[in-house]
Amino acid sequence: MYTKGKSGGSQTRLKDLEVAKIPLPQKLRIINSLRSKDHKYASFFVCRNPLEKLQSLYNFFLYQTQVKKKNFKKFPRSNPPSWSKYISHVSNLSYSDSMSDSVFSKCSPCTYHYDAVVMMETFNQDSSKILTSSGLGWLSPSHKNNHGSHNVRSININVLFENNTKEEISGIIRRYSLDFRL
């Protein structure tokens, strides 16, 4: 399923900059301040169709293990799971690789007060609007959503889950039920 791509790059450099410039306690205070309606930061929530996310994660793991030669406990380089086996694992609610968790389980829009919701399908336009409304229209987002290979319109559900059981598909729906509603 992996179809070439880049790894890290600007996102890795931004993460390194963040770690160097914003101490973890300060970052946690900022994030926790979003629990109040009166927070002083512009905040937004980026969401993505869960099926696109799963395809992207699977490709990420394949790329990292097969090209970059990294190893992940639940996605071993020596024996990476097939797409259907990966879906089988993820469909089990007790499975976690930290990246496949539902968006609601990590940054619930019911718990935090976001100023905007950004859809991954319209990320470039939405992020530009946020920057412009914040007086930062001159700033270009550091990440452009130009992956394009996985979008809702191109997903053939029958093909995607042809080798999975009804129970596994039900598990995916249960795991991401609130994410699908976004």
Side-chain angles (χ1 to χ4, degrees), residues 63-104:
Y63 179 81
Q64 292 296 321
T65 57
Q66 304 308 295
V67 176
K68 295 287 191 172
K69 304 298 184 199
K70 292 184 178 180
N71 211 18
F72 296 91
K73 184 177 180 181
K74 296 191 176 181
F75 205 103
R77 181 177 51 194
S78 61
N79 188 23
S82 65
W83 167 253
S84 59
K85 191 69 171 170
Y86 177 69
I87 289 299
S88 178
H89 292 313
V90 174
S91 71
N92 184 332
L93 294 176
S94 65
Y95 175 87
S96 178
D97 57 27
S98 79
M99 291 189 278
S100 65
D101 296 338
S102 76
V103 171
F104 267 82

Side-chain angles (χ1 to χ4, degrees), residues 15 17-32:
K15 182 68 176 170
L17 177 65
E18 175 189 324
V19 168
K21 298 292 182 184
I22 305 172
L24 183 59
Q26 180 183 357
K27 180 179 176 181
L28 293 175
R29 275 193 306 279
I30 291 169
I31 292 169
N32 282 327

Side-chain angles (χ1 to χ4, degrees), residues 119-133:
M119 303 300 289
M120 195 56 124
E121 298 87 350
T122 55
F123 180 85
N124 296 344
Q125 302 93 309
D126 293 348
S127 58
S128 290
K129 284 180 187 175
I130 291 170
L131 290 170
T132 299
S133 69

Side-chain angles (χ1 to χ4, degrees), residues 4 7-8 12 24 36-37 44 47 50 59-60 67 84 92 104-105 111 120 139-140 143 146 151 175 177:
K4 298 184 181 178
S7 155
T12 302
L24 183 59
S36 167
K37 289 181 183 179
F44 57 93
C47 58
N59 283 336
F60 167 80
V67 176
S84 59
N92 184 332
F104 267 82
S105 69
T111 305
M120 195 56 124
L139 189 61
S140 175
H143 172 77
N146 57 5
N151 63 54
R175 180 181 204 115
S177 63

